[in-house]
Amino acid sequence: MLKQFTRYSSTFIHGAKYTPEFKVYAYNANNGPNDKIISFFHDIPVNFNRDTGTVDMIVEIPRYEQGKFEIAKDLPLNPIVQDVKKGDLRFINNIYPFHGYPCNYGAIPQTWEDPSLKVTLENDSYFGDNDPLDVCEIGSTTSISKLGDIKKVKILGCIAMIDDGELDWKIISIDVNDKLASKINDVVDVEIHLPHVLSNLKTWFKNYKLPMGKPENKFAFNGEWRDKSKALSVIEECNERWKSLVAGKSSGKGLPIVANNTLKGTPGYHTISVPSPETQPTPKIAADIPLKASEIFYYKN
């Protein structure tokens, strides 16, 4: 099953949603017969523009959905898959008053938080979480984003979340086509036009692992949102770290697979082939979401 990407590509879906076999690949019909499947992580361009403050984001989890989908850094050509914990497919719990994810959640391609690099924030230092940068699209547009969509977004700010002792930046953005995009240009504008969104997002990020028996997530900078300038600098830094990764200059255990089909001259170029969609079966109907995922949890802020 092929679905048109924004601008130039498609997605290829393998297997049924909410099953272990489910994978969503990036697909470019303009490539040769052996490299139509491309990497969300490495081949989709970041399209970073500091002057306009924009990047491209990959939607991993559309707003209000519960399935915990993410770019698989340990699978060839990095498809989007559902996370698995202790043998079970992972669903994010509903924490009142939220249902699933309170924003369009995804990743900024061609960025990487280096797990071997210690970053100092105020008086503490943290290693990166070994993933692409996370990005939250918080706009008011009612059109529904889909898993695997690519959206051009305007960067507004960021918050430095500390997850299991690792630095996990959350970049805040708005779709450039949102009706409020022309009015919201920095983090200070968000409260004016989207009141309570930032405080609610921070509460959600703080509490979303509590139903799993884990402690609250912490934040650097006393939990303060940083401005657009800081967010753009974080994106630039993580793009440079990604360049080092795909060039084979990064070292350490458990690094992401760097196989790709567009980055000529890199060690991972044309090293892995995924069968063309024409040779794959048609996806099945999505499986049912487990009833236990519908439970609602209540916590004090």
Side-chain angles (χ1 to χ4, degrees), residues 51-289:
D51 292 335
T52 60
T54 56
V55 299
D56 282 0
M57 74 169 283
I58 299 162
V59 177
E60 296 169 307
I61 307 168
R63 192 193 317 246
Y64 305 135
E65 289 201 12
Q66 289 182 261
K68 180 66 171 72
F69 292 94
E70 59 188 17
I71 293 173
K73 58 180 180 283
D74 57 346
L75 292 181
L77 297 179
N78 315 110
I80 297 174
V81 302
Q82 190 166 0
D83 189 25
V84 175
K85 293 293 184 184
K86 297 180 180 179
D88 294 326
L89 292 171
R90 187 175 170 195
F91 292 87
I92 293 300
N93 299 104
N94 296 313
I95 298 177
Y96 185 84
F98 308 103
H99 182 279
Y101 276 74
C103 60
N104 289 311
Y105 189 80
I108 299 177
Q110 297 186 338
T111 63
W112 180 54
E113 295 199 67
D114 188 343
S116 68
L117 180 66
K118 185 175 287 189
V119 177
T120 300
L121 302 178
E122 297 181 304
N123 298 321
D124 295 306
S125 297
Y126 308 94
F127 292 102
D129 69 351
N130 201 28
D131 288 329
L133 276 173
D134 295 327
V135 58
C136 309
E137 193 280 309
I138 60 174
S140 62
T141 301
T142 56
S143 60
I144 299 175
S145 295
K146 298 180 178 62
L147 190 155
D149 278 355
I150 296 178
K151 300 163 70 78
K152 183 168 290 296
V153 296
K154 180 192 290 187
I155 301 303
L156 305 175
C158 58
I159 194 167
M161 193 174 89
I162 310 303
D163 187 353
D164 290 331
E166 296 177 331
L167 178 59
D168 189 8
W169 285 104
K170 305 298 181 185
I171 307 295
I172 303 302
S173 69
I174 188 168
D175 191 321
V176 295
N177 295 314
D178 191 277
K179 65 181 182 181
L180 294 177
S182 63
K183 299 179 180 180
I184 303 178
N185 298 298
D186 211 320
V187 72
V188 296
D189 301 323
V190 177
E191 185 62 25
I192 298 171
H193 299 283
L194 296 171
H196 309 301
V197 165
L198 293 181
S199 59
N200 285 338
L201 262 181
K202 186 167 70 172
T203 296
W204 187 84
F205 278 121
K206 181 182 73 172
N207 292 337
Y208 84 99
K209 289 188 176 181
L210 292 179
M212 296 183 285
K214 292 192 173 185
E216 294 178 351
N217 284 317
K218 305 297 182 183
F219 302 92
F221 305 112
N222 295 315
E224 296 176 0
W225 292 92
R226 314 307 285 180
D227 64 10
K228 174 181 179 178
S229 177
K230 176 60 177 178
L232 293 175
S233 294
V234 169
I235 293 169
E236 284 182 318
E237 291 165 4
C238 289
N239 176 245
E240 290 301 316
R241 292 166 193 160
W242 168 81
K243 290 177 182 177
S244 178
L245 172 70
V246 295
K249 298 178 181 178
S250 299
S251 60
K253 296 181 179 179
L255 296 184
I257 291 178
V258 295
N260 67 83
N261 279 325
T262 62
L263 305 174
K264 294 181 180 180
T266 63
Y269 180 64
H270 276 181
T271 54
I272 294 178
S273 177
V274 172
S276 172
E278 289 78 8
T279 68
Q280 297 288 342
T282 301
K284 299 177 182 178
I285 297 174
D288 293 332
I289 297 176

Side-chain angles (χ1 to χ4, degrees), residues 1-5 9-15 21-28 36-38 40 79-80 147-148 274-283:
M1 177 184 294
L2 297 180
K3 178 175 68 64
Q4 195 63 34
F5 260 155
S9 296
S10 307
T11 54
F12 165 58
I13 301 174
H14 175 80
E21 296 76 27
F22 181 74
K23 297 180 182 67
V24 178
Y25 287 95
Y27 175 85
N28 193 331
K36 293 183 184 296
I37 299 295
I38 57 178
F40 276 115
I80 297 174
L147 190 155
V274 172
S276 172
E278 289 78 8
T279 68
Q280 297 288 342
T282 301

